[in-house]
Amino acid sequence: MNKQRAAIELAKHLILITFLMLILFPIFYIISISLNPIGSIGSDIVPPHLSLTHWRYILGLPYTDGVTGEIKTSSFPMLIWLFNSIKISVITALLMLFLSTTSAYALSRFNFKGKKLSLLTLMIVQMFPNIMAMVAFYLMLDFIGQYVPGLGTDTHGGLILVYLGMTPFNIWLIKGYFDTIPKSIEESAIMDGCTRFQAFYKIVIPLSTPILAVVALLTFINTFSDFILPSIILKTQDKLTFAVGIQIFVSEAFSNRWGQFAAASILGAFPISAIFLCIHKYIVGGLTVGGSKG
Amino acid sequence: MTGIKKFFTLFILLLGLLIVYKLLTQGYLLLGLVATCLWALTTVIFLIKGAFPYRFMYPGLLTFFLFMVIPILFTIYISFTNLGTGHLLNLARVQEILLSEKHTLENTPSYNFYLYPQTNDLYLIHVYNEDEHEHYLGQFDINKENKSVNLKPVPRPEFVNPPLTRGDVFKNFDSLNSIDFLVPDRPSVKIASTNYMASIVNRYEVKENDKILDTITQTLYWPDFTSGYYTDGKENIAPGFYVNVGFSNFLKLFTNKSMKKPFAKVITWTMLWSCCSVLLTFCLGIFLALFVNSKYFKGKFIYRILIIIPYSIPFFISVLIFKGLYNKDYGIINDIVAYFFNYKIDWLGNALWAKISCLLVNLWLGFPYMFLITTGILQSIPNSVYEAAAMDGAGKFLTFRKITLPLVMSAVAPLLVGSFAFNLNNFVGIYLLTAGGPPMMEASTPVGETDILISYTYRLAFEGGRGQDFGMASAIALIIFIIIAILTLINFKLSGMLNDKR
């Protein structure tokens, strides 16, 4: 009986491992391609020998051209794209944190007219992803740009502005956490002469670091992964985000740039993937509140 | 501290006032009114003591209002206009452009000229005709607003200093070319280029009711508010202006011959795509969750991490990787297919295979999400429930069908609706893989067999080639809004959010 159970367990492990190998195959393949000196779209799974040519290419270092043998440097500013993406995502995440934390605090702690309506509106509107209003965003930024050049189309400022409209989901997430912190701590602090605002940022904020970190990282990941809005708003090559830049780069010549693309995609995916795997427990908790990765 | 805070508040309020003033004086009436209301609200919230809860609410709700609510309202407005290539400006701006259009009068004398700088920003202008028989001199201050400058006939003048170079003339061209130079007994002239002067007049004149008169042909044009052009009944003048076209964009989608069939196809595929995506990812997800979460299974943690790896990679990267794998001639998937069947599938070029490709990639991207949420729900079901079922003699399958599945379904239903809504707008999953292609043959707009509503919107508005049709794109966006609104309502019903009195 025990032997039979062990055999079943072993079979299950084998099935799952086979399944995982199938599922994760594209990832192994892309890692192998990035180290393959030829690295065209029809390359074998096992490279003839390992080479860092593609990695040198995307990092802007001199590399040896596979066909002519010349030593060149890439004309595509991959690292600038990556930097742009990180810059935009970090700024968006920080601003988003400020905007949604204060609103969430008000909704969690105060009773005021219009609170129920605000909660309901936030709940409904968070179902609508903002890309549906892409035409409006484009025209609005075009208009703003005539008066404030730093916030128009083809600027990072304009793109960040557009992202800042997505507060509802984060407000809900943070409010839910604030609700679990007992009010009595702040109340006693206020008795001792603390102002409301001091109680907020000296007591409540430090107590809710985990959820704030999750909101910031989630915003970072979603902003980094966004494709449609930057592709509409940004035009100049040096201003593109990683997502748009890499898409244009590989779509222009799919088979010739396959190896370089493989290296670049690992460079871009690894940090995001690592962050995600670290916080996935919290994300699922948050997702069950309502909404999905977007 | 409070001094700085007060100063800062005052500064922001004054800045707001300036913006409101600018908007109202520059003719943006509606926008100005919205800005005024916002400004008044801000003032009340920050200056009245009792309003301090709103002060906390304010920043988050302000950006939410400006960059979520207003864009949505604006999209609704655009969907009722013909805004797009050829109709990008409003009537006033189009009139301004037409009125600035100039033309040179025929059969009038033209001249050449030189500018000589004098002291104190004064300039002397020497004007002469081509055969150098006539010479005129005039003087003006370049920093003053000059409407007209009188020219005096003189004998051929001599100058000691060199004249301004053509480059220097060009630098001041904007202030120079508005001046009328009055030549005695001849038509007045204007500076037309850096060394040439001619009788230049405005081509159009404004008449009553925004009508304009073409001074060359003496035809009267009037603004036509159904087509969005200045017209004389036969001919339209470009550029057009945008006008309210009522439901015409929507009507076109449902009745126009070359639009309704592609649109019906797009909407069917959008629904099919979302349904299949949710169904496939959910089935695989719950199957894996049951598999990994069985009692005696070891190494759950490692397996869980490995399973969610596909979900952790940014979608745009995974989709582009799959685009390479699907390549018809060299892609590794076709290598494997050709090895077994000696046949190469046109994964992205054939309408049916392209749809299957999209679904397969989306299955790969999405099943870990379903795995994660169902795992969470399975773990929250108390063991006693299963024990009770076992006591009553229920078998494994019966327990699953009668206990596990109903419990999971009731918890997961709103999430499935959410996932449906997400896939409805899963732009990356379609556009980066197939770019909407392969193209539909019969369509008059850029649309392909795998286009979903959101990618169709994008292509109508931003894909070059056939011009931008913002009005139509917004109309489609509005249809998506309506679908999502219905889904939201269903979702609230499912999760009992509306009955919940909090």
Side-chain angles (χ1 to χ4, degrees), chain B residues 468-483:
Chain B
Q468 306 180 299
D469 194 345
F470 291 136
M472 186 62 80
S474 299
I476 295 173
L478 198 60
I479 292 172
I480 310 178
F481 272 118
I482 294 167
I483 297 174

Side-chain angles (χ1 to χ4, degrees), chain A:
Chain A
M1 191 66 194
N2 238 348
K3 246 185 184 172
Q4 199 188 347
R5 159 131 282 147
I8 291 175
E9 287 304 309
L10 186 68
K12 279 174 100 178
H13 279 282
L14 284 177
I15 294 170
L16 202 55
I17 288 168
T18 321
F19 172 76
L20 278 173
M21 272 167 52
L22 194 71
I23 286 297
L24 298 180
F25 170 74
I27 296 166
F28 295 129
Y29 181 64
I30 220 72
I31 293 172
S32 139
I33 290 288
S34 83
L35 296 170
N36 189 317
I38 302 157
S40 75
I41 211 156
S43 295
D44 283 335
I45 302 160
V46 184
H49 63 267
L50 297 182
S51 126
L52 288 176
T53 316
H54 303 316
W55 284 94
R56 296 184 71 87
Y57 180 94
I58 61 158
L59 294 175
L61 300 169
Y63 68 98
T64 322
D65 189 292
V67 182
T68 56
E70 287 174 87
I71 292 181
K72 297 188 202 163
T73 43
S74 148
S75 57
F76 289 93
M78 302 252 184
L79 288 182
I80 293 181
W81 292 339
L82 194 61
F83 173 75
N84 286 344
S85 271
I86 292 173
K87 183 183 94 180
I88 292 170
S89 310
V90 166
I91 295 176
T92 306
L94 292 179
L95 287 175
M96 182 64 86
L97 213 52
F98 167 73
L99 294 169
S100 39
T101 312
T102 48
S103 298
Y105 185 71
L107 287 170
S108 164
R109 288 300 192 264
F110 305 133
N111 268 317
F112 53 88
K113 262 189 191 163
K115 180 176 169 177
K116 263 199 173 155
L117 184 73
S118 315
L119 281 171
L120 193 68
T121 317
L122 290 178
M123 183 51 123
I124 293 172
V125 178
Q126 62 137 344
M127 285 291 284
F128 296 86
N130 64 353
I131 56 169
M132 278 186 272
M134 56 185 157
V135 173
F137 284 136
Y138 177 78
L139 295 172
M140 277 171 74
L141 287 188
D142 209 41
F143 177 78
I144 296 173
Q146 292 167 15
Y147 300 93
V148 194
L151 300 176
T153 47
D154 202 17
T155 64
H156 293 164
L159 185 59
I160 292 169
L161 268 192
V162 169
Y163 286 131
L164 293 185
M166 315 236 288
T167 46
F169 177 62
N170 296 317
I171 292 178
W172 265 100
L173 218 58
I174 300 175
K175 179 194 171 281
Y177 196 90
F178 281 171
D179 287 344
T180 65
I181 300 173
K183 280 182 183 179
S184 51
I185 311 176
E186 293 153 75
E187 273 157 14
S188 58
I190 290 170
M191 290 284 241
D192 291 344
C194 230
T195 65
R196 238 320 156 180
F197 192 68
Q198 280 171 334
F200 167 61
Y201 81 93
K202 285 200 172 144
I203 297 169
V204 180
I205 297 274
L207 282 177
S208 20
T209 343
I211 191 73
L212 298 184
V214 166
V215 165
L217 290 173
L218 211 56
T219 312
F220 178 87
I221 291 177
N222 286 343
T223 313
F224 188 95
S225 314
D226 190 27
F227 174 80
I228 189 163
L229 288 173
S231 87
I232 290 167
I233 290 167
L234 305 175
K235 299 266 153 28
T236 321
Q237 199 190 42
D238 280 348
K239 284 185 182 166
L240 298 182
T241 61
F242 188 71
V244 180
I246 208 76
Q247 194 263 344
I248 293 172
F249 171 77
V250 71
S251 300
E252 276 173 0
F254 226 97
S255 34
N256 296 336
R257 294 179 181 165
W258 188 233
Q260 291 92 325
F261 164 73
S265 54
I266 295 167
L267 183 74
F270 185 74
I272 299 293
S273 195
I275 297 174
F276 185 88
L277 292 177
C278 290
I279 60 168
H280 79 267
K281 274 197 173 165
Y282 299 94
I283 293 174
V284 175
L287 287 174
T288 12
V289 174
S292 53
K293 187 183 179 185

Side-chain angles (χ1 to χ4, degrees), chain B residues 39 44 60 94 98 138 158 165 169 210 217 268 294 328 351 359 370 380 385 415 468:
Chain B
W39 182 82
V44 168
V94 167
L98 290 178
E158 298 290 335
T165 61
V169 174
D210 282 329
T217 57
T268 320
S294 65
K328 189 190 172 202
L359 281 172
M370 294 296 182
S380 71
V385 177
L415 293 174
Q468 306 180 299

Side-chain angles (χ1 to χ4, degrees), chain B residues 391-406:
Chain B
M391 288 279 229
D392 291 345
K396 257 192 173 171
F397 183 70
L398 199 64
T399 318
F400 174 74
R401 212 168 59 97
K402 291 279 177 190
I403 295 176
T404 318
L405 199 61

